[in-house]
Amino acid sequence: MKKLKRALPVAMAIVLGSTAAPLVVRADSSKVVTLGANLTDSQKNSMYEYFGTSSDKAEVIEVTNADERKYLEGVAPDEQIGTRTYSCSYVEPTTSGGIQVKVSNLTYVTSSMISSTLLTSGVENCNVVAASPIEVSGTGALTGIMMAYEKATGTTLNDDQKAAATDELVTTGDLANDIGQDKAENVMNDVKKDVIEGKLTDADDIQNAVENAAKDNNVTLTQEQIDKISDLMKNISQYDYDVKALKNTLDNIDGKSGGFFSNLWSSIKGIFGGDDSSDGGIINGTDDSALGDDVVTNSTLDSFDNSSNSTDSSDAASDDTSDDNSDDSGFWGKIKKFFKDLFGGSNSKKDDTDKSNDDAITEDNSDNTDEPSGDTQNDSLNNDADSSDDSTTDNSADDSSLNDSTDNQSDNQSNTQNSSESDASGSDTSDSSADSSSN
């Protein structure tokens, strides 16, 4: 392992040299914002502020209730669809990394639900922010996102796949009311993965996959629920999906990171400002404060952050704060952070110790003992860095609080589902007095 680590810098120099030229930028696509047709001018401005963009930096589409009803009517209850549209979205197509999603003020749908159902619609890679200036169900948010993706890429998604995606969104939401949000999403994603990867088309095989997914997640489904999920998956099974894109998106949802060389390449692209599609892109530019103090939010990026080893998180934090005289956001700062992350903060002390022992043996056989040991100086620097690590405050508790808040919100979905449209009345009295239904 030591030999590998010593050889890697040489290999890295070759790789970095070969990537010094600007990376190829995605062509023929743009960022697109969708705004609910019933938003006031003030609410539209707050959404632009939240997204971190403006009308002159992104294409803009207005989404109406009629647009939402095109796919939701007959799938979702009429009271859930409502008559007014407040849901908004911001979409950025990418070339890799699967689908990353953040949602805010949506009480019925989650980031994971939108991410998985977008995959069903035929989308493979993109970053998405879906939100509303007031709390609404968000059932119609998927419609706007699909419209934005088509506009941004200049492509047209299959209408039947878009209908299947909407059906999946509602089916997952209904199942969540009965067995809980996490279990519902896990069951649906596990079945879909088995159906697509296994190319299952036989009704009995698909039903077995549903029953196995329920068993694996310690869930008891009624026969009606099994039949509903099986029918949906039978529909999905007739379309061709990119298995790699499927795995990327489901890994995003599950919070799994890529392999060593995948992460290595992402780091290289990050150093040179490349398109690291897995980092969330536009999601990182959102401003929750623009939606008020009580905004409820969740993101597929949170899954990865929360699954990271706490020691790694502490090392990353200390790297940002341990050297006040260095600019970690600059080129050499990124180089330093890359190699620190590559070799792991917890292993560096061991490697220094091994190196010190090797040098000590050499020193015993040498007549030059007057020179101060360079490793002693290195150890001193490492001790200083370790001391800085100890003083770094771990902010993971804040992330846990946010996730707890989101879980509580998800647990109460059954109470808010049937009145999601009236949520608007609690936040916007003037709008709800005209019509309490919103989406």
Side-chain angles (χ1 to χ4, degrees), residues 77-275:
D78 193 68
E79 63 270 15
Q80 195 175 81
I81 303 173
T83 60
R84 315 186 81 181
T85 300
Y86 292 99
S87 297
C88 305
S89 68
Y90 187 23
V91 175
E92 174 188 42
T94 58
T95 56
S96 62
I99 302 169
Q100 296 280 17
V101 179
K102 177 179 179 178
V103 303
S104 294
N105 279 343
L106 306 186
T107 61
Y108 180 75
V109 300
T110 66
S111 58
S112 297
M113 288 168 63
I114 290 180
S115 180
S116 184
T117 53
L118 274 178
L119 186 70
T120 299
S121 75
V123 175
E124 293 181 355
N125 302 289
C126 69
N127 296 319
V128 175
V129 183
S132 168
I134 55 179
E135 287 191 5
V136 295
S137 69
T139 309
L142 182 64
T143 300
I145 295 168
M146 293 187 294
M147 291 172 62
Y149 181 82
E150 290 178 321
K151 180 72 172 178
T153 60
T155 61
T156 301
L157 299 172
N158 182 293
D159 277 345
D160 291 334
Q161 283 182 259
K162 289 192 286 187
T166 304
D167 188 8
E168 181 185 343
L169 186 76
V170 175
T171 299
T172 306
D174 290 344
L175 188 62
N177 290 332
D178 295 328
I179 66 174
Q181 191 71 48
D182 289 342
K183 288 185 176 181
E185 292 176 3
N186 289 339
V187 168
M188 296 294 289
N189 291 339
D190 287 351
V191 175
K192 183 158 66 175
K193 183 178 180 181
D194 288 344
V195 168
I196 294 176
E197 287 188 344
K199 299 186 183 299
L200 305 182
T201 57
D202 180 76
D204 289 338
D205 290 339
I206 292 176
Q207 179 167 319
N208 287 336
V210 174
E211 293 173 348
N212 289 336
K215 182 179 179 181
D216 291 343
N217 288 280
N218 297 317
V219 170
T220 300
L221 299 177
T222 66
Q223 189 59 49
E224 182 180 0
Q225 290 170 330
I226 292 174
D227 292 341
K228 173 66 175 174
I229 300 173
S230 297
D231 289 343
L232 170 64
M233 294 300 165
K234 177 67 176 175
N235 185 18
I236 291 175
S237 70
Q238 65 183 301
Y239 305 110
D240 292 327
Y241 292 97
D242 186 301
V243 175
K244 181 180 179 181
L246 169 77
K247 289 181 177 179
N248 284 339
T249 295
L250 295 185
D251 282 352
N252 291 341
I253 294 172
D254 292 338
K256 299 174 183 176
S257 63
F260 172 81
F261 288 103
S262 174
N263 292 333
L264 178 64
W265 179 240
S266 294
S267 297
I268 294 172
K269 290 192 294 183
I271 290 172
F272 289 98
D275 178 21

